[in-house]
Amino acid sequence: MVFLIVRGKKGRKFFWAGFSLAIGITAQRYLLTGDGVFGFQLYLLALAGAFLFAAFPGAQGEVDVKSHKILRRTMVGALLIWGLLIGFYRLDEFPRFDEFEATNALVALQLNEGDPDTFRFIWTYFPRSYGADSFSSAFFTIIPALLFRVEGVSLFVFRSCPVFWGIVSLLLLYLLVKRLFGPGTALLAAFLFSISSWHLTIFRHGMFGSLSIAFALCIFNLLFKAIRSSRVTYYILLGFILNFYGYFYLPVKLLLPLVVVMFIYKCVLTRGFLRRNWLGIFS
């Protein structure tokens, strides 16, 4: 359909994008029904189509910027819809409900009952996350508790929270890669992320893995936006959000030293960086 709408090399380029998305959706359906071998083969075919989309040359000569924007937004919208479909498909059946999800759901129910000990408990995740007891961070637990009040208590409602954060992660990854490498590479990265078995497992599970990924991608987006724009507003927003890094999974705690190292690197090796950004860095 895209090929018919946009003729020429540009149409053939986006044909491979639509082809890869369709094959990826079919592969996921086969995997969810238990046909792992054929599903994996389809995934390889989808990856080949995605690389062809990234490598295929676009139209030569004058570029229709408006047409390109419409096509990119269409592809991003299709990716988000695809993420919603695979996120909510048989969500109350796969993956298997385990004790980790049960603990988080139970804490959300106790929070709805107004238990003051539970409220204090979820805000102690920062020190607890360094040990074995790493359940029930406030930033994950409060939202399922609110949804339980509105929609009722069910596994589908509980797991819809990580699905939402998984979709947010998909969009934030696209924005980050677009800022660093351009829209074509961003579409490819977002597509590969959307069909990653690692991502599919995490963002359908009732823990806060997908929330932690969304938080990390948000930090990276703000970091590069602040560095490239030199605007104090982005530095202040980055510092404010980074204050909450301790309420996410342990690997996310690497963000703070990583941001510090990035600023040191830019100050030492980029001429004039400290002069343009000192107010934001120290604000």
Side-chain angles (χ1 to χ4, degrees), residues 46 48 54 80 90 93 113 120 134 151 156 169 201 211 226-227 280:
L80 296 179
R90 301 174 69 178
E93 299 179 31
E113 294 174 355
R120 287 191 294 268
S134 59
E151 300 291 338
F156 185 90
S169 299
T201 300
L211 173 58
I227 288 175

Side-chain angles (χ1 to χ4, degrees), residues 136-153:
S136 307
S137 170
F139 286 91
F140 176 79
T141 308
I142 290 175
I143 296 178
L146 293 174
L147 285 179
F148 283 161
R149 288 185 177 181
V150 176
E151 300 291 338
V153 179

